[in-house]
Amino acid sequence: MTQTLKTKVLIIGAGTGGYVAGIRCGQLGLDTILVDGGDGLGGTCLNVGCIPSKAIIHAASKFETVARAADGGTLGITASKPAIDLAATVAWKDGIVRKLNGGVAALLKKAKVKVINGWAEFSDAKTCTVKTDDGDIAITAEHVILATGSEPVELPFLPFGGDVISSTEALALDKVPNRLVVVGGGYIGLELGIAYRKLGAEVAIVEMADRLLPLYDKALTDPVAKWLEKHGVELHLGAKAGSFEKGALNVTDKDGKALTLKADKVLVTVGRRPRTKGWGLENMGVAMAGPFVKIDDRCATSMRNVWAVGDLTGEPMLAHKGSAQGEVVAEIIAGHDKRFDPVTIAAVCFTEPEIVSAGLGPQEVEGRDDVITSVFPFMAIGRALAIEAGDDGGFVRVIASKTDHRILGIQAVGQHVSELSNSFAQMMEMGAVLEDVAGTIHVHPTLGEAFHEASLRALGHAIHI
């Protein structure tokens, strides 16, 4: 027998966009049902993406530090040769995920959000049936928030399965592969490829573009390329991957020459696509923008009282974007006058070294004579040198208007620069000018001093260079 429920707000998808929308709806007193049919509470980010990948990356960096100490010593520290029990590392990572899952569940319960585990399928814009282990549940809602997220792109000639894996499987291996070939030189492939190189795997990267991380300018990516070269990562740029047969990946290099790369595992990271299939989107009558659901600055779709947030709505596919959209939609439904109109959404690559970008980059201002561009190297920052973060070519770059000094963009590359991303975004969101950063007393010794000095340099009077 089918159970029938009615609710004010129905949210499909429990990722960072969906569960945050649910919590905020609950806080605002809205009767809310959240349907979780994917990876679990927290979605891709918490379960098989952002959080577990950063845990593995952290463990890999710890392992590399001990390995360096065993290989002739570092910073006066020596150690015995380390070993990695990857299954134990993955179990530790899984413990972090479970803890965070429990935290999300507790927050939703506190907000009085009803969570249903099952797969929803819509028959029209406001009606769906959820298939659960205990039977079907028919739900009708006044408002629907679509937050179904995204999924890895599968190549037809390299289908996932066996030794051909996506990032999900790469975060759950029980041992380090002797040879790992990564297809795709974007941020996901590089983050995981670098982590596995630190853990001892021989790593090769196959990328169709003529350089890595093609969405970023070369100055930002050069320090990453230097790390890869220094650590023996094999790069095949301008190359095309083919089939995987008998433990080897077929590749065509930039000159059209056929190569075979031996591999224990082939990690395919050629992008992600919105999850639009299998839940009745075609029955909802919403307009599309290419592969994405089309929304306005209120995250409203073309169907009245149907909203969409997160990866489903297009680039940038970032967890923090989805969360911010989820909050906005909840407040709009509750009667608040809100818009999703950020000045910038900062993005981070957790490579070695890390990359941060917020606002306009050099590509967007190329040829303009009305901007100031200022770069300050970490090699001139005491804190960076003290934590071995100053010798990898890292820097902070500020781009500002020449006329009013309004900050238009900020980028950085270097160890631990992900922690500067919120300062960058905050300054831009507040409409800061160079004088605002210059006039803010920055704590010494910190990496953030490079932001201060870059702004001073743009004004013509950097102190420490």
Side-chain angles (χ1 to χ4, degrees), residues 146 276 281 285-303 306-309 312-314:
L146 302 176
T276 57
L281 176 62
V286 299
M288 303 295 289
F292 303 105
V293 171
K294 186 177 181 179
I295 58 169
D296 62 14
D297 63 354
R298 299 165 69 243
C299 299
T301 72
S302 59
M303 179 62 69
V306 175
W307 317 82
V309 302
L312 188 64
T313 66

Side-chain angles (χ1 to χ4, degrees), residues 164-179:
V164 179
I165 61 176
S166 72
S167 56
T168 298
E169 293 77 34
L171 295 169
L173 296 178
D174 58 4
K175 64 179 181 179
V176 178
N178 291 325
R179 280 196 61 83

Side-chain angles (χ1 to χ4, degrees), residues 58-197:
H58 174 71
S61 293
K62 292 287 188 183
F63 181 86
E64 184 195 34
T65 298
V66 180
R68 286 172 58 199
D71 186 21
T74 178
L75 310 178
I77 301 168
T78 57
S80 299
K81 184 177 180 180
I84 181 73
D85 180 350
L86 190 59
T89 304
V90 168
W92 164 76
K93 175 265 296 182
D94 290 342
I96 294 170
V97 170
R98 283 193 299 272
K99 183 176 182 179
L100 293 171
N101 280 144
V104 173
L107 291 169
L108 288 165
K109 183 177 180 180
K110 181 181 178 183
K112 296 182 171 57
V113 176
K114 181 178 178 62
V115 177
I116 297 175
N117 296 307
W119 191 260
E121 186 163 349
F122 282 83
S123 55
D124 61 45
K126 306 291 173 55
T127 308
C128 75
T129 299
V130 181
K131 296 186 180 299
T132 75
D133 293 340
D134 299 321
D136 292 353
I137 303 174
I139 306 174
T140 58
E142 184 178 336
H143 293 265
V144 173
I145 303 175
L146 302 176
T148 55
S150 62
E151 59 195 5
V153 172
E154 185 178 47
L155 295 173
F157 50 86
L158 277 177
F160 294 131
D163 292 328
V164 179
I165 61 176
S166 72
S167 56
T168 298
E169 293 77 34
L171 295 169
L173 296 178
D174 58 4
K175 64 179 181 179
V176 178
N178 291 325
R179 280 196 61 83
L180 173 69
V181 175
V182 180
V183 178
Y187 74 96
I188 297 175
L190 284 180
E191 286 181 6
L192 294 176
I194 288 170
Y196 274 104
R197 181 69 191 108

